[in-house]
Amino acid sequence: MQYLLYYWTGLQGRGEFVRLALEDAGADYVDVARRDGDAVMQPFLEGRADGARPFAPPFLKAGDQVVAQVANILHFLGPRLGLVADTEPARLEALQLQLTIADLVTEVHDSHHPIASAEYYEDQQDAAARRAADLRRHRLPKFLGYFEQVLARAGGRHVLGRHSYVDLSLFQLMRGLRYAYPEAMATLSPGLPLLEELATRVADRPNIAAYLASDRRVPFNNSGIFRHYPELDGGTGA
Amino acid sequence: MQYLLYYWTGLQGRGEFVRLALEDAGADYVDVARRDGDAVMQPFLEGRADGARPFAPPFLKAGDQVVAQVANILHFLGPRLGLVADTEPARLEALQLQLTIADLVTEVHDSHHPIASAEYYEDQQDAAARRAADLRRHRLPKFLGYFEQVLARAGGRHVLGRHSYVDLSLFQLMRGLRYAYPEAMATLSPGLPLLEELATRVADRPNIAAYLASDRRVPFNNSGIFRHYPELDGGTGA
């Protein structure tokens, strides 16, 4: 099966959580918009293509099937790529954790765009400073502390007790947060040893290491979810 | 199977999406915190209970299994309660739509709390006015227009072509928005005839009608996701 991944070009964004699963598994896939341009997604987004209509990228085409929403795509791919145990309890726990990651990803996005996704950061910078301060002080410790504890209870190496797509997403989360909020993460990291070690282990997996060294891995930048504005990272917004 | 639902007392909140599925199906369930108090959820939230650890309510206990995150709970319950076709494509499409509803629910929540969930509305009212204006002008038309079109393509009566938990959630979304944003919805509703008719049909389902007339249905109020602040509904914030 060749998978067709559709996501905006030029940024990692939410597509990266799917890309990491495909890369880790060595799956046969095409990053379609990178090959053909973003306009290739329009028929799907406008409801002119067959299959379930996506509200937004990323979405995946697998044969005739269209699957959208990151957690749903990973739930679909998990057993097919060997990235989750193929039992209902394991798949539900993976989905639950992935949805909690997705909630934090939205909060991280909204820390630089608390008013309107479609407006410039500069036009909502005061609100962003307040929201980012709350993220640093309350939300990051709460979410990351939760994942650290779930990881500890699962034995410390894998959040589901074995390698899964959720580990790959936790790696992406930790690397994204280190890019966007280096000062805040320098403070939090000593309390998150298992998450830090997990992220390092994932980065060292052969297929992931090869991917990260390739030009397929777009560097973090200020078009994505994880954006580095020093003033949001404990500076003037604190 | 008796299901145990855990959610904060005193509000509909995210728990209501699960409650509507259990009520519609006539399932045997206990709303545990309403019976025993909110403190009964603490062992789960603190990782001292068996099963997958929830990050937040709602969560469901089914035998030994703990399932958290609304879309995940409904994905689990769907085939068990006859609220989705038991095929992979149908379940994935239901999950995809439910996750898109969840995204809008978060945006509606953040329209009154754009800075910090834990702070008072009154302390983020200016930012809320701006975010609510964007919700009314851009986000609600985009999301609701999407659901209207998906419904049209599915034949107009059921978003998945047959009754499902997603229809129940769309009902809740439409009723919640009518409570929170009556002026904005009065403007949008004429363009959403299928969603309005769906909501009316769901309200008339015997088990749902009985539930809505019972004291188990907590009225909408300003502790929940959908809050009515007239100044956010096209008044001074416009």
Side-chain angles (χ1 to χ4, degrees):
Chain A
M1 165 73 75
Q2 184 181 65
Y3 297 105
L4 304 178
L5 173 64
Y6 293 81
Y7 193 67
W8 307 115
T9 55
L11 64 157
Q12 294 182 12
R14 287 185 169 83
E16 196 69 8
F17 295 95
V18 180
R19 215 173 266 123
L20 285 168
L22 294 164
E23 292 280 349
D24 184 67
D28 178 15
Y29 81 102
V30 178
D31 215 324
V32 185
R34 287 197 185 161
R35 186 188 66 188
D36 300 337
D38 285 349
V40 76
M41 297 188 286
Q42 283 309 312
F44 294 92
L45 297 175
E46 292 167 6
R48 293 184 283 110
D50 290 334
R53 177 174 173 180
F55 180 74
F59 52 92
L60 187 82
K61 199 160 190 299
D64 289 339
Q65 211 165 352
V66 179
V67 185
Q69 286 274 2
V70 170
N72 192 37
I73 298 169
L74 292 172
H75 178 65
F76 169 80
L77 286 175
R80 289 171 169 82
L81 301 183
L83 288 175
V84 71
D86 198 2
T87 68
E88 192 194 32
R91 293 189 68 194
L92 289 169
E93 186 165 0
L95 180 54
Q96 173 177 323
L97 290 166
Q98 192 67 39
L99 289 171
T100 306
I101 293 171
D103 286 344
L104 177 53
V105 164
T106 294
E107 295 202 19
V108 172
H109 171 272
D110 284 11
S111 71
H112 51 76
H113 276 73
I115 301 298
S117 294
E119 291 179 16
Y120 291 113
Y121 164 65
E122 288 72 17
D123 294 332
Q124 50 196 306
Q125 199 168 344
D126 291 349
R130 290 181 63 197
R131 177 138 187 172
D134 186 73
L135 180 77
R136 297 193 319 269
R137 291 175 189 156
H138 300 296
R139 304 303 285 171
L140 287 182
K142 180 170 175 167
F143 274 99
L144 298 178
Y146 166 83
F147 289 121
E148 180 77 9
Q149 289 165 30
V150 171
L151 194 46
R153 185 156 148 186
R157 286 183 64 84
H158 299 292
V159 74
L160 290 172
R162 52 152 280 175
H163 180 59
S164 73
Y165 66 78
V166 186
D167 283 358
L168 300 172
S169 291
L170 286 172
F171 155 80
Q172 176 67 6
L173 183 64
M174 292 298 285
R175 285 295 178 272
L177 288 171
R178 190 166 76 181
Y179 170 78
Y181 288 99
E183 296 293 332
M185 289 303 288
T187 304
L188 292 173
S189 283
L192 307 167
L194 298 175
L195 280 173
E196 291 290 356
E197 288 160 22
L198 178 149
T200 301
R201 275 197 309 277
V202 167
D204 288 343
R205 290 176 64 84
N207 285 356
I208 295 294
Y211 169 62
L212 296 177
S214 76
D215 59 8
R216 299 191 302 287
R217 172 78 164 183
V218 173
F220 284 110
N221 63 50
N222 279 5
S223 299
I225 300 286
F226 299 103
R227 303 191 188 184
H228 180 53
Y229 297 115
E231 65 274 19
L232 299 186
D233 186 25
T236 56
Chain B
M1 164 74 74
Q2 185 181 64
Y3 297 104
L4 304 178
L5 172 65
Y6 293 80
Y7 193 67
W8 307 116
T9 54
L11 64 159
Q12 293 182 12
R14 287 183 168 85
E16 196 69 8
F17 296 95
V18 180
R19 214 172 267 123
L20 285 167
L22 293 164
E23 292 281 350
D24 184 67
D28 178 14
Y29 81 103
V30 178
D31 215 323
V32 185
R34 287 197 185 162
R35 187 188 65 188
D36 300 337
D38 285 349
V40 75
M41 299 190 285
Q42 283 309 311
F44 294 91
L45 298 174
E46 291 168 6
R48 294 185 281 111
D50 289 336
R53 178 176 172 178
F55 180 74
F59 52 92
L60 187 82
K61 199 159 190 297
D64 290 339
Q65 211 165 351
V66 179
V67 185
Q69 285 276 0
V70 170
N72 192 37
I73 298 169
L74 292 171
H75 179 64
F76 168 80
L77 286 175
R80 287 171 171 81
L81 301 183
L83 288 175
V84 72
D86 198 3
T87 68
E88 192 193 33
R91 294 189 67 194
L92 289 168
E93 187 165 358
L95 180 54
Q96 172 177 323
L97 291 166
Q98 192 67 39
L99 289 170
T100 306
I101 293 171
D103 286 345
L104 177 53
V105 165
T106 294
E107 295 202 19
V108 172
H109 171 272
D110 284 11
S111 72
H112 51 76
H113 276 73
I115 301 297
S117 294
E119 291 179 16
Y120 291 113
Y121 164 64
E122 288 71 18
D123 293 333
Q124 49 196 308
Q125 199 169 343
D126 291 348
R130 290 181 62 197
R131 178 139 187 172
D134 186 73
L135 180 78
R136 295 193 319 267
R137 291 175 190 156
H138 300 296
R139 304 302 284 171
L140 286 182
K142 180 170 175 168
F143 274 98
L144 297 178
Y146 166 82
F147 289 120
E148 181 77 8
Q149 289 165 31
V150 171
L151 194 47
R153 186 155 147 188
R157 287 184 63 84
H158 300 291
V159 74
L160 290 172
R162 51 152 278 174
H163 180 59
S164 72
Y165 66 78
V166 185
D167 283 358
L168 300 173
S169 291
L170 287 172
F171 155 80
Q172 176 67 6
L173 183 64
M174 293 298 285
R175 285 295 177 272
L177 288 171
R178 189 165 77 181
Y179 170 78
Y181 288 99
E183 296 293 331
M185 289 304 288
T187 304
L188 291 173
S189 282
L192 307 168
L194 298 174
L195 280 173
E196 291 291 356
E197 288 161 22
L198 178 148
T200 301
R201 274 198 309 277
V202 168
D204 288 342
R205 291 176 63 83
N207 285 355
I208 295 295
Y211 169 63
L212 296 177
S214 77
D215 60 7
R216 300 192 301 287
R217 173 78 164 183
V218 173
F220 284 111
N221 62 50
N222 279 6
S223 299
I225 300 286
F226 300 102
R227 302 190 189 186
H228 179 54
Y229 296 115
E231 65 274 19
L232 299 186
D233 186 24
T236 58

